[in-house]
Amino acid sequence: MESWCCKLCSCSLNCSEPEDIHRVTEISLPGTTLNYFLDGRINKAEVLFPGVGCFLIAAILGSLVHSSNAADNEEKLAKSLANYSKNTRNSTYEDLTKQLLDEEERPKDLEEAKVDAPEDTQKLEKVEAGTAEFLVDLEEKRSIKVLGSHTLLGLGIVVFAGVFYALFTPAFNLATNDQWHTLPAGVPHLVVYTAFFYFSLACFAASVGLNVWFLYRPMVGVPRSTVAAYLRDGEGRWLALLAGMVCGLGNAFTFMAGQAAGYAAADSVQALPLVSTFWGVVLFGEYRRSSRRTYTLLASMLLTFAVAMAVLMASSNHRRPL
């Protein structure tokens, strides 16, 4: 049981905010630098790059938040399991822990998964956020299980995705402003709205292809599914559609701001960690009942990120005609 506690906590149960900080930092460094030179250095370098430095500090603080919160979770689970070993055990809690530990018996195909008897599938209800029961219940609800996951594989995927994600705004910048003069003489540049239409169309085609592929050939132990099962499962679909529309609207505003005031600043001023913190902490109870050290680091991370956003906005400037 002790080894399970350590593995469960060390793999980050509730740390979406620091991960977003790292992703935004990966975007900021190469993306901001490329856009700064593509835009003819219209942004104020003495203001722009200190803002990127604030992102780096926020990323370091995010890592410290993750480590501190993992230690808090480990302590909660260790105390809870010790109490259950001394007192009358809760069968539902034990069933959940056994299910987490018994990785090999979990069905690999959603079409072949069978529904157990109601008494066997009873869930912990009304668990209080921040408790050990909450952590176990959260792990039970995950599609991608934290238990047994490979940290290096996860970091590799994040870095790989971050590098390519960092290149899409410089590519959009080139599409609308043609700094490399690839268009024939007299051919007008794409306006930001037309470029955004093609960008959205390409994202749609790529996402459909990748999602269908991963339904049948999933990674990291996720059960296999089918297109038919996806179409039958409508639970929460409206939230996914809403998320896509909000993301698309945010990208559109980023591109319009970049065209007006420089992509180097617009690319970096993204509030992903602030939004994820609101969702995670306020709505989903992340970091509840954590230590004072975790709260201090979390507040410092968010303050540093807010400062970075303010500094980057101050670096904006008017675009010169090409």
Side-chain angles (χ1 to χ4, degrees), residues 200-218 226-227 230:
S200 300
L201 195 63
C203 288
F204 175 77
S207 63
V208 169
L210 287 174
N211 278 285
V212 171
W213 172 267
F214 285 123
L215 279 175
Y216 291 92
R217 296 181 179 273
T226 63
V227 173
Y230 170 81

Side-chain angles (χ1 to χ4, degrees), residues 225-299:
S225 186
T226 63
V227 173
Y230 170 81
L231 294 176
R232 288 196 301 267
D233 182 15
E235 184 178 358
R237 190 65 50 78
W238 67 274
L239 285 174
L241 294 174
L242 178 62
M245 288 188 289
V246 171
C247 182
L249 186 63
N251 283 332
F253 285 147
T254 297
F255 297 147
M256 286 188 285
Q259 192 65 20
Y263 284 90
D267 187 29
S268 299
V269 183
Q270 300 187 42
L272 299 179
L274 294 179
V275 174
S276 65
T277 299
F278 175 82
W279 282 95
V281 176
V282 178
L283 297 181
F284 298 128
E286 296 186 4
Y287 295 108
R288 297 280 180 87
R289 295 173 175 262
S290 294
S291 64
R292 181 176 297 180
R293 169 185 167 84
T294 300
Y295 288 140
T296 302
L297 289 170
L298 180 62

Side-chain angles (χ1 to χ4, degrees), residues 35-36 39 41-45 48 261-265 312 315-317:
N35 281 314
Y36 173 72
D39 282 339
R41 306 179 184 182
I42 63 174
N43 294 103
K44 304 169 187 175
L48 177 69
Y263 284 90
L312 288 168
S315 73
S316 61
N317 207 342

Side-chain angles (χ1 to χ4, degrees), residues 10-307:
S10 63
C11 291
S12 164
L13 272 170
N14 307 306
C15 60
S16 58
E17 299 80 18
E19 290 173 0
D20 281 330
I21 283 282
H22 288 299
R23 184 171 61 185
V24 173
T25 304
E26 287 180 356
I27 297 169
S28 299
L29 289 175
T32 298
T33 303
L34 287 173
N35 281 314
Y36 173 72
F37 289 104
L38 284 174
D39 282 339
R41 306 179 184 182
I42 63 174
N43 294 103
K44 304 169 187 175
E46 66 276 11
V47 181
L48 177 69
F49 290 104
V52 176
C54 288
F55 269 111
L56 288 175
I57 296 173
I60 295 172
L61 290 173
S63 297
L64 295 176
V65 171
H66 164 53
S67 299
S68 180
N69 191 56
D72 293 341
N73 289 340
E74 182 177 345
E75 183 179 357
K76 293 174 189 176
L77 289 167
K79 288 181 179 179
S80 177
L81 291 174
N83 291 335
Y84 276 111
S85 65
K86 294 178 181 178
N87 305 320
T88 302
R89 300 192 176 187
N90 184 307
S91 59
T92 304
Y93 186 88
E94 285 188 335
D95 289 342
L96 288 175
T97 57
K98 289 178 180 178
Q99 184 174 352
L100 288 174
L101 292 169
D102 199 0
E103 290 290 310
E104 295 182 356
E105 294 185 4
R106 195 164 357 116
K108 297 300 180 182
D109 191 336
L110 288 180
E111 297 298 303
E112 298 175 358
K114 297 180 180 180
V115 179
D116 299 327
E119 60 271 13
D120 295 331
T121 58
Q122 183 181 5
K123 304 294 183 182
L124 287 171
E125 296 181 355
K126 298 181 180 180
V127 290
E128 186 175 357
T131 62
E133 289 80 5
F134 173 80
L135 300 178
V136 175
D137 190 48
L138 177 63
E139 175 71 2
E140 161 66 12
K141 293 177 180 177
R142 287 182 182 272
S143 173
I144 300 176
K145 302 298 182 184
V146 169
L147 182 64
S149 61
H150 299 282
T151 303
L152 291 179
L153 175 61
L155 288 175
I157 293 174
V158 169
V159 172
F160 179 81
V163 169
F164 282 91
Y165 196 59
L167 297 177
F168 86 84
T169 50
F172 195 95
N173 193 352
L174 286 168
T176 53
N177 297 296
D178 191 31
Q179 290 93 335
W180 292 351
H181 306 291
T182 56
L183 291 175
V187 176
H189 299 163
L190 289 175
V191 297
V192 65
Y193 310 107
T194 305
F196 178 67
F197 171 78
Y198 289 124
F199 171 80
S200 300
L201 195 63
C203 288
F204 175 77
S207 63
V208 169
L210 287 174
N211 278 285
V212 171
W213 172 267
F214 285 123
L215 279 175
Y216 291 92
R217 296 181 179 273
M219 298 176 61
V220 294
V222 176
R224 188 177 68 86
S225 186
T226 63
V227 173
Y230 170 81
L231 294 176
R232 288 196 301 267
D233 182 15
E235 184 178 358
R237 190 65 50 78
W238 67 274
L239 285 174
L241 294 174
L242 178 62
M245 288 188 289
V246 171
C247 182
L249 186 63
N251 283 332
F253 285 147
T254 297
F255 297 147
M256 286 188 285
Q259 192 65 20
Y263 284 90
D267 187 29
S268 299
V269 183
Q270 300 187 42
L272 299 179
L274 294 179
V275 174
S276 65
T277 299
F278 175 82
W279 282 95
V281 176
V282 178
L283 297 181
F284 298 128
E286 296 186 4
Y287 295 108
R288 297 280 180 87
R289 295 173 175 262
S290 294
S291 64
R292 181 176 297 180
R293 169 185 167 84
T294 300
Y295 288 140
T296 302
L297 289 170
L298 180 62
S300 301
M301 179 192 74
L302 295 176
L303 177 62
T304 307
F305 179 75
V307 171

